Amino acid sequence: MIDIITTIINGLSLGGVYALIALGYTMVYGIAKMLNFAHGDIIMVGGFSIFVFFNMIGQPLLAVAAAIIVCIVVGLLTERFAYRPLRGASPLAVLITAIGVSYLLQSLAQIIFGAAPKKMSAFSDLGMLNIGELKVKIATLITLGVATVIMIALTLFINKTKVGKAMLAVSEDRGAAQLMGINVNFVIALTFAIGSALAAVAGASYILQNPTVNVSMGSMPGIKAFTAAVIGGIGSIPGAMLGGILLGLIETICNAIPGLSDYTIAIEFALLILILLVKPTGLLGKKRREKV
Amino acid sequence: MSGFTTYLKSIKRSFKLKNFIMYFILAFVIILFGTLNSVTGLKRSTVTLLEQMSYSMIMALSLSLVVGFLGELSLGHAGFMSLGAFLGGYMQTYLYPSLTAGAPLLSLVLSMLIGGLIAAAFGFVIGLPALRLKGDYLAIVTLAFGEIVKVIFTNVKFYALDGRLLSTTVGVLKTGRYDQKSLFIIGFIVVLLTMIFIQNFIKSKHGNAVMAIRDNEIAARAMGVNVTFYKLLVFVISAFFAGLAGVLYSNASHNINAADFDYNYSINFLVMVVLGGMGNLNGSILAAALISFLNNKLQTILTGDMAGFKNLFYALILILIVIYNNAPKLRGFRAKYNLRNLFNFVKAKLTKLFTKKQPVPDPAAEVEYGADWDKIPTKIEMDALLSTDFTPDNTYVPDKADKPKEGGKE
């Protein structure tokens, strides 16, 4: 029983990380109508920034703040130089460029930091919390808390503020939003900035759970988070949260069952294909009719 | 009989060197290296490079069919290749002992067919979700498929018929190895056959239907193109050739590791297709040769973390070429600076260099256009009107430059 509760808490916490990444995917997809393949690698950029700044300052919170800034800058740069020139081009071209950007970030990180994983145990070793027989890592609880706070804040930001409403308008109809006087380029850049900041936070939470940083640390969580975004319905913010938490739970549960643990990734992706086959719009997504 | 002669005539009329030059190049490569190999014997490293080139070319052709002609992105092509390499290679370990005495070639060809057909069956399965999805979703499904194949093969142990393990490491298979020296010749012959098949497919009415889907799916559907059928067909054909390339790979490498067929390997082929120019088979083949040459050479030069520079180069290729080819704002730039203009420029310079100066035509001697009474000035040229292309943002781009109005000269 205790094991089950621990697994669920771990699953929720991992789900929180996925949800944070998935939010970045889903916002960019909803507003810029593109799949930002490099989003996972922004997590890696965040991870390395935390590694550098933590070794420099020694203050975990400051290091995370610096990483957020670095990620926002990288996110804005990729948007400006790789994606903006292709606005209005075919989706295939944008997708291939995004793959190129992802590859670019990874290879740059490999050249600068090397492919060997870097240990970050000083950052993530926060001890355990004992409640009776239940033992939970404090890092897990922090991740869960941070993810919840950010999700609530983001929902409020989008639904209550003027800029947030502008984002919703652009995702609904870019042309009409532009006619209403919304600066579409600004809104898209802002979306990328928010997504990258979320990726930095997700990177920090990811390090809290697996205390190493390496070049390809972002690609798998990135793809899984995209899976989560699709499961929840891409473009939908509550959907991304739901999908992320579902996926986190499924992953921890599969990992806890001995025979299945080798096939966890296969199970998750099979689930993705199944959901896309049965309900391509995801659990909470809206169906869009294609117009000629 | 007369039908045959008209057929020959039609071939003669439609014969353009541009469309067939790659056949000649490939045949030349086969003959050149084949004779070199049998006469003097090639270096081991050269043979390996040629083998790598041959299966990379098949993969590039196969991916080019999906990306360049159907307009969908497949990120799981390494998965199809992996299926071919493992299952085809596995079949070969059965076929090899039974057939090897008489016909090693037969066992290779049979296992290539088997590997290709198995991969094609999976291509059908992956094509099914492709019918409901497109673009980003489809790319993610193919990526997921590649990962699933990788995960499954990394956890499978392969047993021989008599129950002993074929390899002690999980996820690694020792496969049969066709004769070292002549495998690359067979590889290049398969490239040639693949090229002929795919080029003819593209030129047939089926190919036109596939390209119509790429250009505008809704319009193609409205014109009666069976979108479902053609998407599936392209995926099946593409997967077949990828599986076939996988069997060649398993023959060339002898030890195949499931973890090698990862996402990055798929991207490697995507780089070839993009570098060669999407929708250009000759380009895909040349780019495949270039990239596998670079991979092979840089592997020894850039070791360890310096390998990042190779990936950096590929990443820049992907980004810059795609932006150059697709950015709406670069349209004028593209029209001015491209390879064709460069080629024409060089050609003009060269002909100027090697020919005598032509006398400049006297402008007074030119016939005035307005005096040309063969044409009725008011007749609208229906052909020109019908063949007008509309670009996606609906700016009007005429096929030919507008002629001066006849009436304006009076």
Side-chain angles (χ1 to χ4, degrees), chain A:
Chain A
M1 188 60 205
I2 292 291
D3 284 347
I4 295 176
I5 294 176
T6 323
T7 310
I8 288 177
I9 291 179
N10 285 338
L12 285 176
S13 156
L14 183 65
V17 178
Y18 286 154
L20 285 180
I21 312 171
L23 280 173
Y25 268 116
T26 214
M27 284 173 71
V28 168
Y29 194 92
I31 288 163
K33 295 284 175 290
M34 63 163 285
L35 169 53
N36 184 11
F37 244 93
H39 192 68
D41 299 287
I42 302 278
I43 301 168
M44 181 265 301
V45 171
F48 274 108
S49 314
I50 291 174
F51 170 73
V52 169
F53 288 114
F54 184 66
N55 286 346
M56 225 159 65
I57 320 170
Q59 260 285 341
L61 280 181
L62 278 180
V64 174
I68 291 178
I69 293 170
V70 172
C71 282
I72 289 178
V73 170
V74 172
L76 287 178
L77 283 178
T78 54
E79 195 272 334
R80 179 66 191 84
F81 290 107
Y83 303 144
R84 196 179 290 182
L86 287 174
R87 204 159 292 158
S90 77
L92 184 68
V94 183
L95 195 55
I96 293 177
T97 313
I99 291 171
V101 171
S102 148
Y103 230 58
L104 182 82
L105 291 177
Q106 277 188 32
S107 53
L108 281 179
Q110 193 183 350
I111 291 167
I112 299 171
F113 295 102
K118 308 269 182 295
K119 283 244 178 296
M120 287 285 289
S121 26
F123 179 81
S124 55
D125 200 12
L126 296 172
M128 305 285 275
L129 186 69
N130 298 330
I131 310 169
E133 278 181 58
L134 191 68
K135 282 184 180 174
V136 191
K137 275 190 200 164
I138 293 181
T140 313
L141 292 179
I142 290 180
T143 308
L144 196 55
V146 167
T148 319
V149 168
I150 285 183
M151 284 189 249
I152 293 170
L154 194 68
T155 315
L156 287 178
F157 172 76
I158 287 182
N159 290 320
K160 300 287 175 194
T161 64
K162 213 172 169 182
V163 187
K165 284 179 186 162
M167 288 166 106
L168 283 181
V170 173
S171 88
E172 199 67 39
D173 188 329
R174 192 187 290 173
Q178 199 155 20
L179 290 176
M180 293 297 118
I182 294 170
N183 185 345
V184 171
N185 275 339
F186 171 74
V187 168
I188 292 181
L190 182 72
T191 313
F192 268 88
I194 293 177
S196 308
L198 291 178
V201 177
S205 335
Y206 190 78
I207 297 175
L208 283 179
Q209 309 212 343
N210 320 335
T212 49
V213 180
N214 65 1
V215 172
S216 57
M217 68 179 265
S219 45
M220 212 13 104
I223 295 169
K224 281 184 187 167
F226 179 76
T227 306
V230 171
I231 290 174
I234 198 147
S236 140
I237 287 175
M241 299 175 189
L242 179 71
I245 285 165
L246 268 181
L247 197 76
L249 281 174
I250 291 169
E251 182 169 333
T252 17
I253 291 170
C254 284
N255 276 336
I257 300 169
L260 280 180
S261 53
D262 285 341
Y263 297 96
T264 308
I265 296 176
I267 292 169
E268 283 166 319
F269 285 136
L271 185 76
L272 168 76
I273 295 181
L274 206 70
I275 285 186
L276 282 178
L277 266 179
V278 181
K279 201 168 184 306
T281 47
L283 296 176
L284 300 181
K286 272 183 289 183
K287 192 168 172 62
R288 273 175 199 274
R289 190 168 285 278
E290 201 172 346
K291 293 182 200 140
V292 182

Side-chain angles (χ1 to χ4, degrees), chain A residues 29 37 85 87 89 93 95-97 99-100 103-104 107 114-115 220 226 234 262-263 269-270 272 276-277 280 290 292, chain B residues 73 75 129 132 134 136-137 140-141 143-144 147-148 151 155 218 263-264 267 305 308-309 311-312 315 322 326-328:
Chain A
Y29 194 92
F37 244 93
R87 204 159 292 158
L95 195 55
I96 293 177
T97 313
I99 291 171
Y103 230 58
L104 182 82
S107 53
M220 212 13 104
F226 179 76
I234 198 147
D262 285 341
Y263 297 96
F269 285 136
L272 168 76
L276 282 178
L277 266 179
E290 201 172 346
V292 182
Chain B
L73 189 56
L75 297 175
R132 301 195 52 172
K134 55 185 186 175
D136 308 338
Y137 288 97
I140 274 296
V141 164
L143 195 160
E147 289 294 323
I148 291 174
V151 168
N155 287 303
I218 298 172
Y263 166 70
N264 287 344
I267 299 296
D305 294 333
F309 280 106
N311 291 346
L312 185 70
V322 169
N326 293 285

